[in-house]
Amino acid sequence: MEFKDKIVVITGGAQGIGRCIAEEFQKAGATICVIDKQQGDHFVGDLADKQVLEQFAKDVIAQHGHVDYLINNALPLMKGIDECSYEDFQYALNVGVTAPFYLAKLFAPHFAKGAAIVNISSSRDRMSQPQTESYTAAKGGIAALTHALAVSLAGKVRVNSISPGWIDTAYTVYEGPDAIQQPAGRVGNPLDIANMVLFLCSDKAGFITGENICIDGGMTRQMIYHGDNGWTLQQKDNE
């Protein structure tokens, strides 16, 4: 019960990685405060809405008086340059960057001693697939926001980020190329991320702040060239 009586705020905590993080904190004795657009037994609201963020923060403090850990996990919209409108792009940034900043600001006077923020970025903060601009920009933004907050909140709150790679939230076990291509030999699952979140919030990580940890099975560390180690490039017709 390492986190007994700790208050943990998790955005996007109703499903996927966020839900796994919530469950692991609960197993360790923590009290969980979740905000998510999905209906359920939690605060339901859109993180892109300033008033929603203010009401959520107000409710958390009214009920618990303080916050120990803030986990900014909610997923921003993913659209690419061909289809992403100005409004879509702005919405993705509101969810992925503005909301984490504003929640940190709202909770700043209420963080307990030894508090920590963990931001969930993505390995897309350093590499891309086509047509992912809104998501990639938001994830790059939260990775940079992490070290800015770490410096501003120095001595009060430790702030770190995690950049997941391919994480299958259904815990599917992949075989063949999907697994073999990854230096770790498998696709990730939500526990790979949740375990690191709990570590970064623990006293064991007391000397870690402003850091980004990429958990991607080693995919971003391998060099890929045509004809090297079995990798081949197949070009599409321009027609």
Side-chain angles (χ1 to χ4, degrees):
M1 303 296 284
E2 183 177 7
F3 295 102
K4 180 175 172 55
D5 299 326
K6 299 295 186 181
I7 307 302
V8 184
V9 173
I10 304 174
T11 70
Q15 56 190 328
I17 292 173
R19 181 175 179 177
C20 182
I21 293 169
E23 291 172 347
E24 293 305 302
F25 267 118
Q26 286 178 320
K27 291 176 185 177
T31 297
I32 309 302
C33 303
V34 166
I35 180 171
D36 200 296
K37 286 180 65 176
Q38 179 175 300
Q39 296 294 320
D41 187 20
H42 51 260
F43 190 102
V44 178
D46 189 342
L47 286 161
D49 188 325
K50 177 174 178 280
Q51 292 183 336
V52 167
L53 297 175
E54 290 173 344
Q55 187 60 57
F56 173 62
K58 182 179 179 181
D59 289 358
V60 169
I61 298 307
Q63 186 172 358
H64 302 290
H66 73 278
V67 171
D68 292 286
Y69 311 118
L70 169 61
I71 316 301
N72 289 305
N73 164 79
L75 287 174
L77 182 72
M78 183 187 285
K79 283 190 175 183
I81 194 167
D82 289 352
E83 297 183 359
C84 187
S85 67
Y86 179 93
E87 290 76 16
D88 289 336
F89 195 83
Q90 192 63 58
Y91 183 81
L93 294 182
N94 284 344
V95 172
V97 184
T98 305
F101 164 77
Y102 198 44
L103 286 177
K105 181 178 178 67
L106 291 170
F107 288 129
H110 307 287
F111 279 116
K113 182 179 180 181
I117 297 173
V118 179
N119 296 320
I120 305 301
S121 181
S122 167
S123 60
R124 294 174 189 271
D125 62 8
R126 67 204 68 190
M127 59 191 298
S128 292
Q129 291 173 304
Q131 303 301 322
T132 62
E133 279 76 11
S134 67
Y135 185 92
T136 299
K139 290 303 186 180
I142 198 172
L145 176 66
T146 295
H147 55 74
L149 286 174
V151 174
S152 294
L153 299 176
K156 299 176 182 178
V157 184
R158 291 185 301 102
V159 188
N160 294 289
S161 64
I162 297 172
S163 292
W166 182 358
I167 303 296
D168 191 293
T169 57
Y171 295 87
T172 304
V173 177
Y174 291 82
E175 298 179 352
D178 286 332
I180 296 170
Q181 69 180 339
Q182 313 223 22
R186 67 174 176 85
V187 171
N189 65 64
L191 273 173
D192 292 316
I193 308 306
N195 288 336
M196 180 56 70
V197 171
L198 267 67
F199 170 74
L200 289 173
C201 289
S202 73
D203 292 340
K204 299 182 184 71
F207 198 54
I208 303 174
T209 193
E211 187 59 76
N212 172 269
I213 299 172
C214 188
I215 303 178
D216 70 340
M219 284 295 290
T220 56
R221 293 302 188 186
Q222 60 182 340
M223 300 179 74
I224 299 174
Y225 293 100
H226 174 69
D228 188 19
N229 294 320
W231 293 96
T232 59
L233 174 66
Q234 295 181 342
Q235 293 180 300
K236 294 182 179 179
D237 294 334
N238 294 323
E239 299 179 353

